[in-house]
Every structure is written in C-alpha cells, then in structure tokens.
Amino acid sequence: MTGAASERVGESARARQASLARRGLGALFLCWLYGVPFLLVSGLIRRTSTPYTPTREAARAFGATTDALLIAGLVLNVVLPLAGLLLAGLAGDGYWRRHFAGACAALVVVYLAVALAGGTATSPLVGHVPADQEQTPRVSHCVPISGGRGCPGG
C-alpha cells in the first residue's frame, strides 16, 4: 500500500471514530434530557399519591421504589452532564462540549426545582413510607401476664 492510500485509510478510520463519538455523546445527552426528568417526575408523582397498600410490606416496597426513582434521578442529573462534558472535551468536540456545559448549568435549576418541591411537601421526599391499610386486630379478651400483673380493668 502506498503512503497516500494508507493515509486515506487512516483518515477514514478517524472520521468513523469521530462519528461514533458524536453519536455516543448525543445518546448521553438525550438520556440526561429525557431520562432524568422522567425519573424525577415519576418519583414526585409517586411520592404525592396515596397508593393502595394493603400490608405494611407493600407500603415499604412502594416507598423503596419511589426512593430509588428519586435517588437515581438526582444522581444521574449530576453524573450524565459531567461525564458528557469530560468525554466531549477528550474527543475535542466543541458542539457537544457547549451542550453539556449548558446541561451543567441546567442541573442547578433542576436541583432548585426539586428543593422547592421538597420544601412544599408535607413529608420528606426520600425515606417516606406511606401508611398501610392493614386493619389492627380487635382485642376481645385479656391474657394475664406473669409477675402478678393482671388485666387492666379487672
């Protein structure tokens, strides 16, 4: 292979690699742009809803799923723009670097919106377990306790 042909093959490989990098950065940006709001809105809707939880275990599971959605949304809100900014800088892509710099500025706005929603909520956004609808058992008789203590009221 001659020097010119080898150079063209190298340029073609670099162009293909740059195209893949642009697509990957675009996918990362779209994951942040649509995925993070979806997770946060889903978590906030679940937090403010009154679910049907017939047992205590179901209520705990509902609360844990809601916490997972909110925590994942908050973590990805920071990780995706910073990772995109770093990868765009390493790839030398000014177009995506500007987009991810804007996303880094917007992540502050997202955190302020979540803090505002948390400030107006009547319960904490993370760590809240909704009430269950399990009925308390009716006590119809008294069982005496050892140690000389009898039943209250006789």
Side-chain angles (χ1 to χ4, degrees), residues 38-61:
F38 173 78
L39 289 172
L40 292 175
V41 169
S42 298
L44 290 173
I45 288 172
R46 285 177 62 98
R47 180 61 69 221
T48 59
S49 68
T50 306
Y52 172 70
T53 51
T55 63
R56 187 74 180 145
E57 290 79 31
R60 270 192 236 123

Side-chain angles (χ1 to χ4, degrees), residues 38-120:
F38 173 78
L39 289 172
L40 292 175
V41 169
S42 298
L44 290 173
I45 288 172
R46 285 177 62 98
R47 180 61 69 221
T48 59
S49 68
T50 306
Y52 172 70
T53 51
T55 63
R56 187 74 180 145
E57 290 79 31
R60 270 192 236 123
F62 185 88
T65 302
T66 304
D67 289 347
L69 286 170
L70 287 171
I71 291 170
L74 292 172
V75 168
L76 289 175
N77 187 43
V78 170
V79 170
L80 292 178
L82 292 179
L85 190 60
L86 176 71
L87 292 173
L90 291 174
D93 193 337
Y95 177 79
W96 285 113
R97 197 176 357 201
R98 285 188 302 275
H99 276 74
F100 283 111
C104 287
L107 75 86
V108 174
V109 174
V110 171
Y111 275 117
L112 289 174
V114 171
L116 181 67
T120 61

